[in-house]
Amino acid sequence: GGGGGGGGGGGGHRLNLNPSYDNNNNVGGDEALHSSHFTRQRRGAIHHIRSSSGSSGGHLHDGVHGGVYARNNNSKNSSMKKKDFSHSKRTFRKQTLFGIVFGIVMMVVLAVGASWLAKVFMDTSANTSPSSLSSTSKNSNNKRAEHAGVFSPVAEGDSRVERFMAKSNCTLNFFLAWTTSAAKFSLRYRRTVESTLKFHPGACLIVYSPTMQLDHFQRFWDLGYNIIVERPDVPYLIRGTPAEAWYQGIDKWKNGEYFFSHITEIIRLATLWKYGGVYLDTDVVVMRELDNLHNAVGTELADERGEAKVLNGAVLAFRKGSAFIHECMVEFNTTYRIDSWGWNGPQLVTRVAARFPQGPELQILPTIGFYPIHWAKVRKYFTDEDPADQHAVWERMKRETYLFHYWNKITVKLVPTPGSLMYKVLNNYCLFCEETGMDG
């Protein structure tokens, strides 16, 4: 699964398509004001001249005096207009300067205020402890302080995983991958996490996900469990491995229909080769401790004699630098098919195991180990059909099965009926067993 938008700047600015219109209007207003003033002056002057001219006020005399006055008055009016314009110009400059100074002062005040509020918020957050969820939460604050560098808001490549594992002194490393929407990580998938930590409380559990928040499993962390979400840094993981050559074609591969399944496949192989531990698909429920599994893969389908015909990589338990895992990456790179889901998944480990000797570097478990119920028959065990058979299978699984893979690709829309085998599995190997959901 997988990101925004930009704002429209300039909203509210008026587009002036005719600048001369505004300028003429402004000047015209000034001219109208001065014209009116001049008219009143001129009328007063003419009245004064006519009164003072008496009987000798001939037309020529009046005209001469009128012309002289007009010239003098025009000159006076022109100087008044210049004076008024200069005054307006100085006023505009003062107002503009005041606006700029005021804006700068306000920006400084806002910046100082924001800084002070941020400091207060950070101090408050630092002094606030999370609420306790169990008796083990007394140690969670110490652990959180110890791993302060681990819970950084920005992932720093896989060095963050390395710091996490080094500081946690984990008994075993577990890895999961979730590439679809975080909202789809429902109770059924959470049971994978719960059952893993139930049997391995001192283990490290790293969930690779580009969609989950880094504090998605904060509830488990507060209970004292070592679990983090990490952004998958594929180039870092595959550096120096045979899969590095495959990644060079990522721009082409990411357009494939099964890309997310394929990228998850390469993440699990590279992670195990780099760190060692147990990789789990999120559609499994752990039913016992896995500490004694070394370089192990499970059989999905066996022949009449119980010999493996098809293996499956949904569960892989291998040491760091495993030769088998290295060979799987070679196979992935050299035979990759963009159009096939199974070829790069279950069939991949089957092909490599066929030419790889069993022994210390490779142990193949029987179907009862990881895949006690084949995908073609699993639907039945979500219902209350044939309770005698379900009870018999359930009793055997409790004795011999390490974990139950319930084939989510087929059962994703099925809701387990109370009393069914799947219902028992989901609600017997959990930390929060009192909680139920639509899919569990």
Side-chain angles (χ1 to χ4, degrees):
H13 291 285
R14 181 171 63 87
L15 181 60
N16 188 358
L17 297 178
N18 191 359
S20 63
Y21 177 82
D22 288 346
N23 293 336
N24 289 337
N25 279 349
N26 292 337
V27 173
D30 292 339
E31 287 181 350
L33 174 64
H34 295 310
S35 228
S36 174
H37 178 71
F38 170 74
T39 300
R40 289 193 297 270
Q41 283 187 330
R42 188 173 182 274
R43 285 176 181 172
I46 291 173
H47 177 73
H48 174 74
I49 291 171
R50 286 180 177 177
S51 299
S52 63
S53 63
S55 59
S56 63
H59 294 290
L60 178 61
H61 180 82
D62 288 347
V64 169
H65 280 279
V68 171
Y69 173 77
R71 286 194 297 271
N72 291 338
N73 197 54
N74 285 341
S75 176
K76 181 179 180 181
N77 186 55
S78 176
S79 64
M80 289 179 67
K81 288 175 65 177
K82 290 181 179 179
K83 182 178 181 180
D84 290 346
F85 178 78
S86 298
H87 176 72
S88 300
K89 192 173 182 181
R90 286 195 300 273
T91 302
F92 175 77
R93 287 176 176 172
K94 290 179 180 178
Q95 291 175 342
T96 303
L97 181 60
F98 176 80
I100 292 173
V101 173
F102 181 79
I104 293 174
V105 171
M106 290 303 297
M107 289 174 64
V108 171
V109 170
L110 289 173
V112 172
S115 177
W116 179 79
L117 287 174
K119 185 177 184 300
V120 170
F121 176 79
M122 292 299 293
D123 290 342
T124 303
S125 300
N127 294 328
T128 303
S129 300
S131 58
S132 175
L133 295 179
S134 76
S135 59
T136 59
S137 63
K138 292 181 180 180
N139 298 324
S140 65
N141 288 336
N142 294 333
K143 288 183 62 177
R144 185 176 297 178
E146 180 185 355
H147 298 313
V150 173
F151 275 93
S152 56
V154 179
E156 302 175 6
D158 275 46
S159 61
R160 181 171 175 265
V161 170
E162 291 160 4
R163 293 200 310 269
F164 167 66
M165 292 190 295
K167 291 182 178 180
S168 300
N169 296 318
C170 300
T171 56
L172 186 61
N173 299 326
F174 284 91
F175 303 94
L176 282 71
W178 186 264
T179 55
T180 53
S181 169
K184 294 182 178 180
F185 196 85
S186 58
L187 180 134
R188 182 181 298 184
Y189 310 115
R190 199 185 75 195
R191 291 291 197 243
T192 303
V193 174
E194 291 183 34
S195 60
T196 300
L197 296 176
K198 178 181 178 68
F199 289 103
H200 310 88
C204 281
L205 201 160
I206 295 94
V207 182
Y208 285 109
S209 176
T211 59
M212 288 180 171
Q213 296 293 325
L214 296 183
D215 62 350
H216 187 93
F217 297 102
Q218 186 68 49
R219 180 184 188 184
F220 292 87
W221 182 266
D222 289 340
L223 287 170
Y225 296 107
N226 300 307
I227 176 172
I228 62 170
V229 173
E230 172 66 340
R231 301 290 180 249
D233 188 348
V234 180
Y236 177 83
L237 281 171
I238 66 177
R239 189 179 303 157
T241 74
E244 195 169 15
W246 172 84
Y247 195 78
Q248 293 176 2
I250 193 68
D251 289 337
K252 177 182 178 181
W253 309 140
K254 67 183 180 183
N255 295 319
E257 180 181 358
Y258 306 106
F259 171 73
F260 286 110
S261 296
H262 296 166
I263 198 70
T264 301
E265 185 70 29
I266 205 63
I267 287 174
R268 81 180 75 187
L269 294 175
T271 296
L272 289 177
W273 187 81
K274 190 176 186 66
Y275 301 121
V278 181
Y279 174 86
L280 302 174
D281 270 1
T282 51
D283 55 346
V284 305
V285 176
V286 178
M287 299 178 64
R288 67 176 64 247
E289 293 181 2
L290 307 181
D291 302 72
N292 62 338
L293 295 179
H294 304 287
N295 299 326
V297 63
T299 301
E300 174 187 321
L301 183 64
D303 59 21
E304 299 80 8
R305 297 175 296 179
E307 295 183 2
K309 292 177 61 178
V310 178
L311 305 182
N312 195 305
V315 181
L316 297 170
F318 284 86
R319 65 172 178 80
K320 179 179 179 179
S322 162
F324 178 80
I325 295 297
H326 187 274
E327 190 63 24
C328 284
M329 287 191 286
V330 172
E331 180 74 10
F332 188 97
N333 178 55
T334 56
T335 68
Y336 180 73
R337 286 176 51 183
I338 193 174
D339 62 338
S340 175
W341 170 75
W343 178 262
N344 309 294
Q347 297 175 37
L348 174 72
V349 292
T350 303
R351 293 196 306 274
V352 174
R355 61 176 184 263
F356 204 94
Q358 291 192 49
E361 289 293 327
L362 177 62
Q363 299 179 24
I364 299 178
L365 273 62
T367 56
I368 192 64
F370 299 156
Y371 312 101
I373 301 174
H374 191 259
W375 59 264
K377 302 177 180 179
V378 71
R379 289 185 178 88
K380 167 184 172 180
Y381 297 93
F382 277 70
T383 70
D384 55 5
E385 178 186 346
D386 197 354
D389 173 68
Q390 293 209 36
H391 179 72
V393 174
W394 168 244
E395 290 298 323
R396 186 186 177 195
M397 285 173 58
K398 288 194 296 182
R399 295 191 305 269
E400 304 177 42
T401 299
Y402 284 99
L403 54 84
F404 177 40
H405 182 267
Y406 54 82
W407 311 102
N408 188 66
K409 201 173 184 69
I410 296 170
T411 64
V412 63
K413 295 182 178 180
L414 301 180
V415 178
T417 302
S420 65
L421 183 143
M422 182 61 183
Y423 188 88
K424 294 176 181 177
V425 170
L426 285 175
N427 294 287
N428 277 276
Y429 304 100
C430 41
L431 296 176
F432 310 110
C433 299
E434 72 283 358
E435 298 179 8
T436 59
M438 292 298 293
D439 59 352

